[in-house]
């Protein structure tokens, strides 16, 4: 177990999934003296290269360097990297994914766990599978040991009808305008994901300065 329980533990599939919707919140908590952590399930080797590298292995190395630079800007030092296959989480045996999430929760004893919502926000199979694994792990814990469970959430329902059916609106809002310069710097560390950055800012510009989440309340 961690010597000090974490305030927030983020469990996501890809390098860069930590930065768009939660980096300002992480900066806030870390600046307040609360330890936080990140679990990244894949190396992101199946993503777009934008001509910056050749092949999946080189992309994985580049994305690892980008993630280290991003976490340096955020100030996050607790990070665990796994090598489940990018874009193929849904095809993997489910038990090991659940076990990774459960062991991370038991070891770090976070007050809050943050991951993707049931629809994966955008329907990405890795996002959806990560949600299922984290939720499944959370449900195996005794109720008095479960952390608070947060999902990324947007005020804007998805256009896709199937995704909209599983949409969960925000019930937590955090103003992170005071971190906007550092947040943009952290986002810019993920150079290979420039198109994802453009898409996010085009679709959800308000979430650069206000981070919104859905807390499961049962």
């Amino acid at each position: 177990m961690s010597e000090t329980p974490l305030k927030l533990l983020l469990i996501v599939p890809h390098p860069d999934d930590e930065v768009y919707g939660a980096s300002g919140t992480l900066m806030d908590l870390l600046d307040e003296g609360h330890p936080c952590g990140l679990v990244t399930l894949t190396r992101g080797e199946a993503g777009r290269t934008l001509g910056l590298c050749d092949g999946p292995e080189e992309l994985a190395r580049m994305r690892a360097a980008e993630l280290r630079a991003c976490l340096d800007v955020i100030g996050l030092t607790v990070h665990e990297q796994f090598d489940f296959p990018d874009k193929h989480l849904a095809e993997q045996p489910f038990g090991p994914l659940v076990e990774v999430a459960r062991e991370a929760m038991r070891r770090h004893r976070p007050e809050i766990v943050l991951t993707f919502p049931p629809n994966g926000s955008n329907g990405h199979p890795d996002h959806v599978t990560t949600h299922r694994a984290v939720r499944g792990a959370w449900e195996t814990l005794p109720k008095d040991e479960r952390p608070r469970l947060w999902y990324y959430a947007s005020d804007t329902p998805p256009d896709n009808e199937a995704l909209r059916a599983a949409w969960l609106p925000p019930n937590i809002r955090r103003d992170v305008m005071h971190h906007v310069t550092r947040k943009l710097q952290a986002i810019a560390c993920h150079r290979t994901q420039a198109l994802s950055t453009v898409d996010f800012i085009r679709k959800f510009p308000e979430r650069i300065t206000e981070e919104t989440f859905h807390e499961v309340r049962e």
Side-chain angles (χ1 to χ4, degrees), residues 12-48:
V12 291
H14 310 118
D16 85 335
D17 285 337
E18 77 292 331
V19 73
Y20 300 108
S23 55
T25 295
L26 288 168
M27 291 174 195
D28 263 348
L29 297 176
L30 292 166
D31 287 353
E32 293 166 6
H34 300 296
C36 298
L38 169 67
V39 173
T40 309
L41 295 178
T42 82
R43 299 164 68 215
E45 71 277 4
R48 294 171 289 199

Side-chain angles (χ1 to χ4, degrees), residues 71-82:
L71 298 186
D72 284 346
V73 173
I74 294 171
L76 190 66
T77 59
V78 178
H79 176 228
E80 298 176 7
Q81 176 71 61
F82 291 86

Side-chain angles (χ1 to χ4, degrees), residues 6-7 36-37 51 55 60 124 156 162 167 176 209:
L6 300 182
K7 180 72 171 181
C36 298
H124 192 302
T156 306
W167 170 70
V176 296
T209 57

